[in-house]
Amino acid sequence: MYRSTRSAVLLMLPATVLTLASCAGSGGYGDEQESSALEEQMAQEEEMVLMAPPGTRYLECQTRPRETDIETIGPDGGQLQVNGHLLDIPAGAVEGEAVEFRMRDPGAANGKIIIVPSYEFVGNFQPSLTLSYAHCDAEGVESLEMHRWTLGMDRPSVIQGYPDAQDSTFTVDLDHTSTYIIASN
C-alpha cells in the first residue's frame, strides 16, 4: 500500500508526451519546417528507451490510446490535459510571444511524459505537472519519485514532488520542460 507523508516524495508516471513550440508572429504557429522539426523531436523522445536507475523501477501501467492536446499559451497562462494528466501554467510563466504546447500521452506501459522543445519558464511563476497513476500498478509501493529525462542523457534527474495517494496523482513544480516518468524506490 502506498502511504503519503508530509515530506516531499518523487514520482514517475505513465507515458505522456508534452511538447512546446514557439509561435512565430501574431498569426499563430510559424512555418512548416518548425512544425516538422518539433514532430521529429517528439518522435525521438517518444522512441527513447528509459531504463530505471539501480534501486528504482518504473510503474507498470495499462496501455491507453494515444492522446494529444495542443494549446497556445502566453503571458496569461493556461492548461493542457490528456488522460488524467494536467500541465498548469500560471500567468507570468511565459514571457513575450505565446508558446504552442503539445502534450501527448503515447499510452506506453511505463508512463512516460514528454515535453519538447525544452522551454525555461520565467520569474517566480512555476508551472505544475500533475500525473495520474490511477491506471498503474502501485500496490505495495511505499514511496514514489519523478524522473526527468533529457534527450541524449544516460540517466535522469530526480524531481521532488507531492503525491496524493487518495487521487492516485503526483504533482511536481517545473522550471523547464522535458520528459517525465514516475518511479518507485
Side-chain angles (χ1 to χ4, degrees):
M1 174 60 92
Y2 171 75
R3 293 178 310 193
S4 177
T5 63
R6 295 184 71 79
S7 62
V9 177
L10 301 175
L11 180 68
M12 296 187 57
L13 288 179
T16 298
V17 178
L18 186 59
T19 305
L20 290 182
S22 226
C23 289
S26 61
Y29 196 74
D31 61 20
E32 290 181 28
Q33 286 181 331
E34 185 175 345
S35 179
S36 177
L38 287 172
E39 283 301 317
E40 183 176 324
Q41 185 176 359
M42 182 178 271
Q44 289 174 350
E45 295 275 355
E46 210 168 326
E47 292 173 6
M48 186 168 58
V49 176
L50 306 179
M51 302 298 292
T56 63
R57 72 172 179 87
Y58 294 138
L59 297 181
E60 294 178 26
C61 307
Q62 299 169 355
T63 58
R64 298 163 319 282
R66 184 178 187 197
E67 186 177 333
T68 303
D69 186 9
I70 300 173
E71 299 290 337
T72 300
I73 299 174
D76 291 337
Q79 294 184 334
L80 289 96
Q81 285 188 298
V82 293
N83 290 339
H85 309 298
L86 172 68
L87 175 64
D88 185 17
I89 301 172
V94 175
E95 188 174 58
E97 291 186 24
V99 174
E100 182 177 290
F101 290 84
R102 298 179 186 195
M103 184 167 167
R104 181 175 294 158
D105 181 345
N110 68 355
K112 164 172 73 173
I113 303 224
I114 303 169
I115 304 171
V116 296
S118 184
Y119 182 86
E120 286 193 36
F121 297 103
V122 298
N124 296 322
F125 310 100
Q126 286 193 308
S128 64
L129 177 62
T130 300
L131 301 178
S132 171
Y133 60 93
H135 60 286
C136 303
D137 180 9
E139 189 173 326
V141 171
E142 292 188 23
S143 66
L144 297 170
E145 60 187 26
M146 178 79 74
H147 289 188
R148 177 177 54 216
W149 284 88
T150 303
L151 195 61
M153 301 301 288
D154 62 351
R155 64 179 25 190
S157 300
V158 177
I159 304 172
Q160 292 190 2
Y162 309 94
D164 183 336
Q166 185 174 4
D167 289 339
S168 298
T169 60
F170 193 86
T171 301
V172 295
D173 293 329
L174 301 180
D175 56 2
H176 69 279
T177 58
S178 193
T179 298
Y180 300 89
I181 190 167
I182 296 175
S184 64
N185 53 15

